[in-house]
Amino acid sequence: MEMRALNDKREYFRIRLNHPLCATMTIVLVDGQPMKTGSTNVCIKDIGPGGLRFMSHLKLPESKKVILEFDARICGQDYQFWGSVIRTHKKEAGVWEYGVEFYIDEATRSKYVYLFNQLAIKLYKYKQWHSCSICTKDEPAVCLRSRDGEGK
């Protein structure tokens, strides 16, 4: 694990992960309207109380009107994070990297601050993830290819 500022524009800290966290992503709202879509596998590269960065094979729009849900297992518990894409970067053919800002209230954000502080302490102290869906592949793109077809 490596913790450092990732463009000091952020209001909240992020935990940069040496190995991505495997998660699923679903589009839940578009223009305030509920969507019924399937989920896809993604690799979370960093996460904090303000948002996350992930990689996917899907091309998604940068829009506050599209709300995504990320399901991930962290420290033995399943969490759902909602947010919107605010930054897009093409990594390689068929692989995109996204920056997501969470769509949450301050009470939930306070819970995330506590959760991610605990996670950072565990990662620093034990140098490994216990009860988390950590990727076993060296590169997120390899992980995404190996997980194709596993979504809901």
Side-chain angles (χ1 to χ4, degrees):
M1 180 219 38
E2 185 178 315
M3 288 183 39
R4 64 175 125 130
L6 303 174
N7 288 348
D8 272 325
K9 296 178 187 176
R10 287 194 173 81
E11 192 172 342
Y12 303 96
F13 70 94
R14 290 267 181 108
I15 300 170
R16 185 173 287 184
L17 308 171
N18 288 337
H19 294 281
L21 180 66
C22 296
T24 58
M25 181 204 66
T26 306
I27 299 171
V28 292
L29 295 171
V30 175
D31 267 337
Q33 298 299 312
M35 300 298 296
K36 292 191 180 216
T37 64
S39 62
T40 189
N41 294 309
V42 298
C43 294
I44 297 175
K45 296 182 72 178
D46 63 53
I47 192 165
L52 57 82
R53 183 169 51 118
F54 76 98
M55 291 179 68
S56 174
H57 287 302
L58 296 181
K59 175 70 172 112
L60 300 167
E62 288 182 26
S63 174
K64 296 251 183 196
K65 294 180 179 185
V66 178
I67 307 296
L68 307 172
E69 177 184 279
F70 298 87
D71 295 302
R73 186 160 189 79
I74 300 174
C75 297
Q77 288 192 296
D78 294 324
Y79 288 92
Q80 294 178 329
F81 305 100
W82 285 35
S84 297
V85 172
I86 59 169
R87 185 184 54 78
T88 304
H89 176 70
K90 187 172 185 175
K91 294 299 283 184
E92 58 185 72
V95 178
W96 297 87
E97 181 178 273
Y98 298 98
V100 170
E101 180 178 41
F102 287 150
Y103 179 71
I104 55 176
D105 59 29
E106 285 309 309
T108 303
R109 190 174 321 276
S110 293
K111 291 177 186 175
Y112 288 176
V113 168
Y114 178 79
L115 168 68
F116 296 126
N117 275 326
Q118 293 303 307
L119 177 61
I121 290 166
K122 287 180 182 183
L123 289 173
Y124 179 76
K125 188 173 181 180
Y126 301 112
K127 306 286 190 239
Q128 54 184 257
W129 292 67
H130 295 288
S131 305
C132 296
S133 54
I134 193 68
C135 183
T136 58
K137 308 292 183 200
D138 289 334
E139 293 293 324
V142 174
C143 177
L144 288 170
R145 283 192 293 273
S146 71
R147 295 173 62 214
D148 276 346
E150 291 180 21
K152 295 177 193 169

